[in-house]
Amino acid sequence: HFLSLKLGNKTEGKRQKQICQIVLDHFEKQYTTELGDTWTRIRDVLLHPCCWQYAILLNKFSQSAELEDTLRVKGYYPAFQESLTYLPSSFQCYIRRSPGRFPAQKHQAGKLKEYFLLNAASLLPVLALEVKDGEDVLDLCAAPGGKSVAVLQCAYPGNFHLNDSDVLRSRWLKQTIESFIPDPFINLVMFSTLDGRQIGDLKPELYDKVLVDAPCSNDRGWLFSSDIQQATLRVIRRKELPSLQFQLLR
Protein backbone atom coordinates (compact mmCIF):
# COMPACT_ATOMS: atom_id res chain seq x y z
CA HIS A 1 0.00 0.00 0.00
CA PHE A 2 1.23 3.50 -0.78
CA LEU A 3 1.05 4.48 2.91
CA SER A 4 3.85 2.06 3.73
CA LEU A 5 6.19 3.14 0.94
CA LYS A 6 9.24 5.19 1.83
CA LEU A 7 10.15 8.17 -0.32
CA GLY A 8 13.67 8.70 0.98
CA ASN A 9 15.46 6.02 -1.04
CA LYS A 10 13.66 7.00 -4.24
CA THR A 11 14.66 10.62 -3.85
CA GLU A 12 18.25 9.66 -3.05
CA GLY A 13 18.35 7.50 -6.15
CA LYS A 14 17.32 10.44 -8.28
CA ARG A 15 20.17 12.52 -6.86
CA GLN A 16 22.71 9.90 -7.94
CA LYS A 17 21.94 10.18 -11.66
CA GLN A 18 25.03 10.80 -13.76
CA ILE A 19 25.11 13.89 -15.96
CA CYS A 20 26.02 13.33 -19.62
CA GLN A 21 28.78 15.90 -20.19
CA ILE A 22 28.35 16.01 -23.99
CA VAL A 23 24.71 17.05 -23.61
CA LEU A 24 25.47 19.55 -20.86
CA ASP A 25 28.23 21.16 -22.94
CA HIS A 26 25.78 21.55 -25.83
CA PHE A 27 23.18 23.12 -23.54
CA GLU A 28 25.75 25.51 -22.07
CA LYS A 29 26.64 26.79 -25.52
CA GLN A 30 23.09 27.01 -26.88
CA TYR A 31 21.16 28.26 -23.86
CA THR A 32 23.72 30.78 -22.67
CA THR A 33 23.25 32.48 -26.03
CA GLU A 34 19.47 32.13 -26.10
CA LEU A 35 18.55 32.70 -22.45
CA GLY A 36 21.40 34.75 -21.00
CA ASP A 37 21.36 35.00 -17.21
CA THR A 38 18.12 33.03 -17.00
CA TRP A 39 19.97 29.90 -18.10
CA THR A 40 21.91 29.84 -14.81
CA ARG A 41 18.71 29.40 -12.79
CA ILE A 42 17.27 26.84 -15.22
CA ARG A 43 20.56 24.95 -15.19
CA ASP A 44 20.44 24.66 -11.39
CA VAL A 45 17.01 23.03 -11.53
CA LEU A 46 17.92 20.68 -14.40
CA LEU A 47 21.03 19.44 -12.60
CA HIS A 48 19.17 18.59 -9.38
CA PRO A 49 16.33 16.11 -10.01
CA CYS A 50 15.20 16.44 -6.40
CA CYS A 51 14.09 19.99 -7.31
CA TRP A 52 11.87 18.94 -10.22
CA GLN A 53 8.27 19.78 -9.39
CA TYR A 54 6.15 16.66 -9.58
CA ALA A 55 2.40 17.00 -9.27
CA ILE A 56 -0.16 14.42 -8.17
CA LEU A 57 -3.29 14.54 -10.31
CA LEU A 58 -6.12 12.74 -8.51
CA ASN A 59 -8.43 10.46 -10.47
CA LYS A 60 -12.05 11.52 -9.98
CA PHE A 61 -13.17 8.05 -11.12
CA SER A 62 -11.31 6.40 -8.21
CA GLN A 63 -11.56 8.85 -5.34
CA SER A 64 -9.95 8.09 -2.00
CA ALA A 65 -10.37 10.21 1.12
CA GLU A 66 -7.48 8.29 2.65
CA LEU A 67 -5.19 9.40 -0.17
CA GLU A 68 -6.09 13.07 0.28
CA ASP A 69 -5.47 12.80 4.02
CA THR A 70 -2.06 11.24 3.31
CA LEU A 71 -1.14 14.05 0.91
CA ARG A 72 -2.04 16.73 3.46
CA VAL A 73 0.03 15.00 6.15
CA LYS A 74 3.01 14.92 3.78
CA GLY A 75 2.71 18.66 3.12
CA TYR A 76 0.95 18.65 -0.26
CA TYR A 77 -1.41 21.46 -1.23
CA PRO A 78 -3.49 22.38 -4.33
CA ALA A 79 -1.28 23.30 -7.28
CA PHE A 80 -3.78 25.69 -8.87
CA GLN A 81 -5.85 28.40 -7.26
CA GLU A 82 -9.55 29.14 -7.69
CA SER A 83 -8.70 32.53 -9.19
CA LEU A 84 -8.11 30.80 -12.55
CA THR A 85 -10.87 31.49 -15.06
CA TYR A 86 -11.22 27.75 -15.74
CA LEU A 87 -10.70 25.29 -12.90
CA PRO A 88 -13.35 22.52 -12.69
CA SER A 89 -14.08 21.29 -9.17
CA SER A 90 -13.42 17.75 -10.39
CA PHE A 91 -9.83 18.70 -11.28
CA GLN A 92 -7.74 18.00 -8.17
CA CYS A 93 -3.96 18.39 -8.35
CA TYR A 94 -1.44 18.60 -5.50
CA ILE A 95 2.21 19.64 -5.15
CA ARG A 96 4.58 20.39 -2.25
CA ARG A 97 7.59 22.62 -1.79
CA SER A 98 10.01 20.12 -0.25
CA PRO A 99 11.95 17.68 -2.51
CA GLY A 100 10.75 14.16 -3.05
CA ARG A 101 8.50 12.14 -5.31
CA PHE A 102 5.34 10.29 -4.39
CA PRO A 103 5.46 6.57 -5.28
CA ALA A 104 3.93 5.62 -8.62
CA GLN A 105 1.12 3.06 -8.81
CA LYS A 106 1.56 -0.04 -10.96
CA HIS A 107 -0.94 -1.02 -13.64
CA GLN A 108 -3.40 -3.65 -12.41
CA ALA A 109 -5.91 -5.13 -14.83
CA GLY A 110 -9.47 -4.30 -13.82
CA LYS A 111 -8.46 -1.77 -11.15
CA LEU A 112 -8.35 1.99 -11.62
CA LYS A 113 -5.38 3.99 -10.39
CA GLU A 114 -6.01 6.71 -7.83
CA TYR A 115 -3.55 9.29 -9.16
CA PHE A 116 -1.15 10.22 -11.95
CA LEU A 117 2.33 11.64 -11.42
CA LEU A 118 3.44 14.35 -13.84
CA ASN A 119 5.11 17.74 -14.01
CA ALA A 120 2.80 20.44 -12.67
CA ALA A 121 3.51 22.79 -15.59
CA SER A 122 2.30 20.22 -18.14
CA LEU A 123 -1.26 20.69 -16.86
CA LEU A 124 -1.40 24.37 -17.83
CA PRO A 125 -2.20 23.67 -21.53
CA VAL A 126 -5.10 21.44 -20.46
CA LEU A 127 -6.58 24.22 -18.32
CA ALA A 128 -5.97 26.75 -21.10
CA LEU A 129 -7.99 24.56 -23.49
CA GLU A 130 -11.10 24.99 -21.28
CA VAL A 131 -12.78 21.78 -22.43
CA LYS A 132 -16.54 21.63 -21.84
CA ASP A 133 -18.89 18.66 -21.72
CA GLY A 134 -19.92 17.48 -25.17
CA GLU A 135 -17.11 19.12 -27.13
CA ASP A 136 -15.20 17.04 -29.67
CA VAL A 137 -11.52 17.05 -28.70
CA LEU A 138 -8.35 15.83 -30.42
CA ASP A 139 -5.14 15.14 -28.49
CA LEU A 140 -2.75 15.10 -31.44
CA CYS A 141 0.42 13.71 -29.79
CA ALA A 142 -1.21 12.02 -26.82
CA ALA A 143 1.28 9.43 -25.47
CA PRO A 144 2.05 8.70 -22.71
CA GLY A 145 -1.36 10.07 -21.71
CA GLY A 146 -0.99 12.50 -18.81
CA LYS A 147 -2.75 15.38 -20.55
CA SER A 148 -5.45 13.06 -21.91
CA VAL A 149 -6.18 11.85 -18.39
CA ALA A 150 -6.25 15.48 -17.23
CA VAL A 151 -8.78 16.45 -19.93
CA LEU A 152 -11.10 13.69 -18.71
CA GLN A 153 -10.79 15.00 -15.15
CA CYS A 154 -12.12 18.35 -16.39
CA ALA A 155 -15.04 17.36 -18.64
CA TYR A 156 -16.74 14.62 -20.67
CA PRO A 157 -15.98 15.26 -24.36
CA GLY A 158 -18.58 14.23 -26.91
CA ASN A 159 -15.81 12.44 -28.78
CA PHE A 160 -12.21 12.22 -27.60
CA HIS A 161 -9.66 11.28 -30.26
CA LEU A 162 -6.23 10.28 -28.92
CA ASN A 163 -3.52 10.02 -31.55
CA ASP A 164 0.15 9.13 -31.46
CA SER A 165 2.15 8.15 -34.52
CA ASP A 166 4.39 5.78 -32.55
CA VAL A 167 2.73 2.35 -32.30
CA LEU A 168 4.52 1.31 -29.09
CA ARG A 169 3.77 4.63 -27.39
CA SER A 170 0.16 4.34 -28.53
CA ARG A 171 -0.14 0.97 -26.76
CA TRP A 172 1.28 2.58 -23.63
CA LEU A 173 -1.25 5.40 -24.03
CA LYS A 174 -4.18 2.98 -24.29
CA GLN A 175 -3.07 1.13 -21.17
CA THR A 176 -2.79 4.45 -19.32
CA ILE A 177 -6.33 5.46 -20.26
CA GLU A 178 -7.68 2.04 -19.25
CA SER A 179 -5.94 2.47 -15.88
CA PHE A 180 -7.78 5.72 -15.15
CA ILE A 181 -11.11 5.69 -16.97
CA PRO A 182 -14.00 3.28 -16.21
CA ASP A 183 -15.50 1.19 -19.01
CA PRO A 184 -18.59 3.35 -19.73
CA PHE A 185 -16.39 6.33 -20.60
CA ILE A 186 -13.84 4.36 -22.63
CA ASN A 187 -16.46 4.41 -25.39
CA LEU A 188 -15.89 8.17 -25.69
CA VAL A 189 -12.27 7.57 -26.63
CA MET A 190 -10.91 6.74 -30.11
CA PHE A 191 -7.27 5.74 -30.53
CA SER A 192 -5.20 6.09 -33.70
CA THR A 193 -1.59 6.00 -34.89
CA LEU A 194 -1.84 8.53 -37.72
CA ASP A 195 0.82 11.01 -38.76
CA GLY A 196 -0.39 14.07 -36.88
CA ARG A 197 0.56 16.31 -39.82
CA GLN A 198 -2.15 14.65 -41.94
CA ILE A 199 -5.10 14.71 -39.55
CA GLY A 200 -6.11 18.25 -40.51
CA ASP A 201 -6.59 17.13 -44.13
CA LEU A 202 -8.21 13.81 -43.20
CA LYS A 203 -10.68 15.32 -40.73
CA PRO A 204 -11.09 19.03 -41.59
CA GLU A 205 -12.99 21.21 -39.09
CA LEU A 206 -14.10 18.14 -37.13
CA TYR A 207 -12.95 19.16 -33.65
CA ASP A 208 -13.93 21.93 -31.23
CA LYS A 209 -10.60 21.81 -29.40
CA VAL A 210 -7.15 20.41 -30.32
CA LEU A 211 -4.31 19.81 -27.88
CA VAL A 212 -0.87 19.66 -29.51
CA ASP A 213 1.83 18.49 -27.11
CA ALA A 214 4.39 18.43 -29.91
CA PRO A 215 7.47 16.18 -29.71
CA CYS A 216 10.14 18.03 -27.77
CA SER A 217 13.88 17.81 -27.15
CA ASN A 218 13.33 16.19 -23.72
CA ASP A 219 16.38 18.06 -22.41
CA ARG A 220 15.78 16.93 -18.86
CA GLY A 221 15.84 13.24 -19.76
CA TRP A 222 18.79 13.33 -22.13
CA LEU A 223 20.92 15.36 -19.74
CA PHE A 224 21.15 12.21 -17.63
CA SER A 225 21.60 9.75 -20.50
CA SER A 226 24.07 6.92 -19.84
CA ASP A 227 24.45 6.15 -23.55
CA ILE A 228 26.89 8.75 -24.88
CA GLN A 229 26.50 7.64 -28.52
CA GLN A 230 22.70 7.90 -28.34
CA ALA A 231 22.93 11.26 -26.55
CA THR A 232 25.26 12.63 -29.22
CA LEU A 233 22.85 11.51 -31.94
CA ARG A 234 19.98 13.11 -30.04
CA VAL A 235 21.80 16.45 -29.88
CA ILE A 236 22.06 16.37 -33.68
CA ARG A 237 18.45 15.29 -34.29
CA ARG A 238 16.92 17.85 -31.93
CA LYS A 239 17.72 20.52 -34.53
CA GLU A 240 15.02 18.98 -36.74
CA LEU A 241 12.31 19.32 -34.09
CA PRO A 242 11.22 22.95 -34.71
CA SER A 243 10.24 22.09 -38.29
CA LEU A 244 8.20 19.08 -37.14
CA GLN A 245 6.55 21.12 -34.37
CA PHE A 246 5.57 23.84 -36.87
CA GLN A 247 4.07 21.28 -39.26
CA LEU A 248 2.00 19.71 -36.47
CA LEU A 249 0.69 23.08 -35.32
CA ARG A 250 -0.16 24.06 -38.90
Side-chain angles (χ1 to χ4, degrees), residues 21 38 41 64 72-73 89 92 129 133 157-158 199 206 229:
Q21 194 61 44
T38 306
R41 297 196 299 275
S64 167
R72 292 189 187 97
V73 168
S89 58
Q92 300 290 328
L129 205 60
D133 289 348
I199 289 182
L206 184 65
Q229 186 174 0

Side-chain angles (χ1 to χ4, degrees), residues 1-10 66 70 74 102-103 115:
H1 196 278
F2 64 82
L3 288 173
S4 65
L5 291 172
K6 302 297 183 182
L7 297 179
N9 291 338
K10 286 179 176 286
E66 184 181 7
T70 301
K74 292 184 175 294
F102 210 69
Y115 57 88

Side-chain angles (χ1 to χ4, degrees), residues 4 20 38 51 57 67-68 72 86-87 97 116 129 137 142 156 158 165 173 178-179 206 214-215 229 244-245 250:
S4 65
C20 183
T38 306
C51 296
L57 178 66
L67 171 59
E68 292 195 61
R72 292 189 187 97
Y86 175 83
L87 188 63
R97 298 192 185 282
F116 194 101
L129 205 60
V137 180
Y156 299 103
S165 60
L173 166 67
E178 291 173 347
S179 292
L206 184 65
Q229 186 174 0
L244 172 61
Q245 291 165 351
R250 186 180 60 187

Side-chain angles (χ1 to χ4, degrees), residues 57 60 86 91 123 126 129 131 137 139 145-157 160 211:
L57 178 66
K60 70 179 182 182
Y86 175 83
F91 185 86
L123 294 171
V126 174
L129 205 60
V131 176
V137 180
D139 191 345
K147 293 180 179 65
S148 302
V149 169
V151 167
L152 289 166
Q153 302 304 312
C154 294
Y156 299 103
F160 196 19
L211 177 62

Side-chain angles (χ1 to χ4, degrees), residues 19 36 55 64 71 75 81 93-94 116 127 145-147 153 178 191 208 238:
I19 295 168
S64 167
L71 292 174
Q81 304 304 314
C93 179
Y94 288 85
F116 194 101
L127 294 175
K147 293 180 179 65
Q153 302 304 312
E178 291 173 347
F191 297 91
D208 299 299
R238 70 199 298 273

Side-chain angles (χ1 to χ4, degrees), residues 184-201:
F185 296 107
I186 290 291
N187 295 330
L188 298 175
V189 182
M190 180 180 79
F191 297 91
S192 67
T193 55
L194 300 169
D195 183 334
R197 293 169 291 187
Q198 299 174 357
I199 289 182
D201 293 326

